[in-house]
Amino acid sequence: MTDSKYILSLDLGTTGNRAILFDRQGDNVGQAYKELTQYYPHPGWLEHDATEIWQEVSHCIQQVVNEQKADPQEIAAIGLTVQRETCLLWDKTTGKPLHKAIVWQDRRTADRCDRLKAEGKAEMI
């Protein structure tokens, strides 16, 4: 087995996904980026295709590893940052997404949130 030389960082953002390869000194030795398709099914709604997210992240990882001629066994750890408030449901049997991901910028529940605030429930929530 080879010595660990790299840390792989994955940044799953609102507009795209990025894979960054860092060396042992913390220097950025390579990166790859792919934009995500933004779906607006109604005004104020924003969704992402979960399958596309997975495919683009996989592509970015392969691209940065290949471009740097890195052996995947040389990657000591993977760091991950994600959109946090983006919501997605998966079918536990098939592992497939049940719907597009609802992105944190989506406003479809804004009226309900305003109503809960008006009812004095903001502090509890």
Side-chain angles (χ1 to χ4, degrees):
M1 184 165 164
T2 60
D3 290 331
S4 298
K5 295 182 180 179
Y6 303 107
I7 301 285
L8 178 63
S9 174
L10 302 176
D11 175 16
L12 282 62
T14 304
T15 58
N17 298 315
R18 183 180 319 273
I20 308 169
L21 203 58
F22 294 95
D23 65 16
R24 294 181 90 153
Q25 290 71 44
D27 294 324
N28 176 338
V29 296
Q31 66 179 312
Y33 177 80
K34 292 286 280 183
E35 282 192 19
L36 282 173
T37 305
Q38 308 293 307
Y39 295 93
Y40 298 94
H42 299 284
W45 292 21
L46 177 54
E47 300 175 347
H48 288 162
D49 182 325
T51 302
E52 179 187 0
I53 293 171
W54 173 248
Q55 290 170 343
E56 300 302 1
V57 169
S58 297
H59 173 84
C60 287
I61 292 169
Q62 290 173 357
Q63 181 180 341
V64 75
V65 167
N66 290 340
E67 285 178 358
Q68 298 310 309
K69 297 178 177 48
D71 180 342
Q73 291 184 0
E74 296 174 318
I75 298 173
I78 299 174
L80 177 66
T81 180
V82 297
Q83 297 179 30
R84 292 179 302 282
E85 291 86 13
T86 294
C87 299
L88 178 67
L89 294 174
W90 301 85
D91 182 299
K92 71 178 184 178
T93 306
T94 67
K96 303 283 185 201
L98 295 173
H99 191 274
K100 286 187 174 76
I102 299 173
V103 178
W104 66 271
Q105 294 169 319
D106 189 284
R107 303 285 299 156
R108 72 185 75 191
T109 61
D111 291 343
R112 174 174 271 164
C113 293
D114 290 341
R115 189 173 64 244
L116 290 169
K117 264 196 235 178
E119 294 171 2
K121 297 182 180 175
E123 189 68 32
M124 177 182 73
I125 294 171

